[in-house]
Amino acid sequence: MNDSTLFEAYKLGNNSLQNKVIMAPMTRSRADQNHVPTQIMADYYEQRAGAGLIITEGTAPSPNGAGYPRIPGIYSTKQVEAWKPVTKAVHDKGGKIFIQLMHTGRVSHPLNLPDGAEVLAPSAIAPATTEMYTDQEGSKKIPAPKEMTLEDIEKTVQEYVDAAKNAIEAGFDGVELHGANGYLIEQFINPESNRRTDEYGGAIEGRVKFAIEVATKTAETIGSDRVGIRLSPAGAFNDINPFDGQEETFFYLADKLADLKLAYVHLVDHSSMGTPEVPRTLKEGIRDAFGGTIIISGGYDRDKAESDLNDGLGHLVAFGRPFIANPDLVKRMKEKADLNEPNFDTFYTPGKKGYTDYPSMENE
């Protein structure tokens, strides 16, 4: 095995990555109550700038998409200004950073949304088992969303575009569209959450139409080499589950995304966290249909990452929880050093504890 594979430089569009280690997007809920990024977020990402590419936590492209407490947004001038110290800190350390645009759709609660915002989805179907935490009242049952009108859809597509423009203004190197984990884009793709009978529902072409429109218009606005998309085929999360015809659906979607020449497709496999394993044939089919850079993620350590890179399953490997507890993860993996274990109790709590206080090797 070629031990240097993971640590080689990689050209991603016009971005030169210092290695093939990607920091996966992870919600950490450290923005303020108004979804504005905080200074400790700049410290957190700066500590992890040794990654080839950082993909930020899911960030709301609009008030309607801010369904969780204390997730950041990128839809206001104040938020754009608050992101600038984050991107500068990462760039000053030689890193690259994409922002993940995450519209929560039906996975939301009105208590978490800004005034005037509403819970929207392709169809008025509430998640059956998923509950939503609120700072005000703790865990709450999720209400049925409003079914989006054609006007709502058009407006939401434009919100993604405007958020992408804001991201570039804030200094980001690109954006990742969150089309995975049961959020809005995937709510359109999956026939269980999308019961529409118009042009955005029904057959495969209808259910992927929203994803294609968001990707197309975002790419036209900021450049296709600065746009990636995250997909979770065969995923089981937020009341989205595997469905009949999923291979055909995702192969069709990957083929359409190939036409757009996007920077990458980021494939998620959460089987390490107890969900069904994504069949290798599905991963390979998406890889082959897309034809461009594939980021693979889900429960990776150094050895498994090297193996799948050498095997050609993907080009870059995303690491999630190891990056929470190991700000210098790349160095630790390169030197085969021990890794810190993350504290699950502080994943989503406010403040520095369990966020910026994990030691690097020099400080242990």
Side-chain angles (χ1 to χ4, degrees):
M1 183 176 290
N2 178 2
D3 275 346
S4 66
T5 306
L6 197 56
F7 308 105
E8 290 172 348
Y10 187 84
K11 189 80 168 162
L12 182 69
N14 288 325
N15 286 301
S16 296
L17 310 186
Q18 55 193 336
N19 54 62
K20 298 177 183 177
V21 179
I22 309 302
M23 179 175 166
M26 291 173 287
T27 294
R28 302 303 311 277
S29 299
R30 258 62 176 202
D32 69 17
Q33 298 284 353
N34 296 312
H35 305 285
V36 177
T38 54
Q39 177 56 46
I40 59 169
M41 290 168 60
D43 300 337
Y44 170 75
Y45 286 117
E46 179 184 27
Q47 289 173 347
R48 289 153 181 82
L53 174 67
I54 291 173
I55 306 170
T56 72
E57 63 219 272
T59 302
S62 71
N64 293 339
Y68 287 96
R70 290 172 280 105
I71 64 167
I74 186 89
Y75 51 82
S76 74
T77 302
K78 192 171 185 180
Q79 290 163 343
V80 171
E81 291 304 311
W83 275 115
K84 288 180 179 178
V86 177
T87 58
K88 183 178 187 303
V90 172
H91 290 150
D92 286 351
K93 284 288 182 73
K96 300 289 184 182
I97 183 167
F98 275 37
I99 190 170
Q100 187 192 63
L101 301 181
M102 178 180 78
H103 192 304
T104 50
R106 70 177 189 168
V107 184
S108 178
H109 194 280
L111 287 174
N112 293 336
L113 295 178
D115 290 343
E118 54 188 347
V119 182
L120 299 174
S123 299
I125 304 170
T129 60
T130 303
E131 293 198 341
M132 175 58 67
Y133 176 80
T134 67
D135 282 336
Q136 300 94 322
E137 299 180 17
S139 188
K140 302 282 288 182
K141 185 175 173 60
I142 293 178
K146 174 197 166 190
E147 180 169 314
M148 296 170 77
T149 64
L150 292 177
E151 185 181 359
D152 288 331
I153 291 174
E154 184 180 357
K155 181 183 176 188
T156 303
V157 172
Q158 187 60 43
E159 287 170 346
Y160 277 98
V161 172
D162 292 341
K165 286 193 284 193
N166 286 345
I168 299 306
E169 184 186 339
F172 285 99
D173 299 297
V175 306
E176 176 177 284
L177 304 172
H178 199 344
N181 297 18
Y183 298 115
L184 184 63
I185 291 174
E186 190 171 42
Q187 289 163 29
F188 273 94
I189 295 170
N190 193 295
E192 289 305 306
S193 51
N194 181 353
R195 305 283 177 83
R196 302 178 71 94
T197 56
D198 63 7
E199 64 198 273
Y200 288 92
I204 291 170
E205 294 82 356
R207 286 182 283 108
V208 305
K209 182 177 170 65
F210 181 74
I212 298 297
E213 285 186 355
V214 171
T216 300
K217 294 189 177 179
T218 304
E220 286 173 353
T221 302
I222 66 170
S224 59
D225 64 314
R226 296 202 280 193
V227 180
I229 188 167
R230 192 180 214 216
L231 304 174
S232 54
F237 197 70
N238 282 328
D239 281 273
I240 292 285
N241 294 293
F243 58 93
D244 290 340
Q246 64 181 4
E247 286 206 355
E248 188 183 356
T249 299
F250 281 101
F251 294 167
Y252 177 87
L253 175 57
D255 186 60
K256 291 297 181 184
L257 293 172
D259 294 340
L260 301 180
K261 304 268 192 296
L262 297 189
Y264 64 80
V265 166
H266 181 180
L267 291 180
V268 186
D269 183 338
H270 278 143
S271 55
S272 64
M273 295 162 63
T275 65
E277 188 166 0
V278 181
R280 188 176 178 96
T281 52
L282 188 46
K283 294 177 184 176
E284 290 175 342
I286 292 171
R287 176 199 66 192
D288 295 345
F290 180 61
T293 296
I294 297 289
I295 301 176
I296 46 178
S297 67
Y300 276 98
D301 59 18
R302 174 186 163 143
D303 289 344
K304 185 168 183 263
E306 290 285 1
S307 176
D308 280 358
L309 282 181
N310 280 294
D311 202 23
L313 188 61
H315 305 86
L316 303 166
V317 184
F319 296 81
R321 290 178 178 177
F323 258 119
I324 289 178
N326 299 277
D328 54 350
L329 179 64
V330 176
K331 183 176 181 181
R332 286 177 187 264
M333 289 196 299
K334 199 169 189 177
E335 298 182 12
K336 298 186 177 179
D338 292 337
L339 301 185
N340 302 320
E341 289 298 319
N343 177 1
F344 291 81
D345 293 338
T346 56
F347 275 12
Y348 310 112
T349 52
K352 298 178 181 179
K353 184 173 173 57
Y355 189 60
T356 55
D357 58 354
Y358 286 106
S360 60
M361 289 167 66
E362 288 82 3
N363 298 331
E364 284 178 332

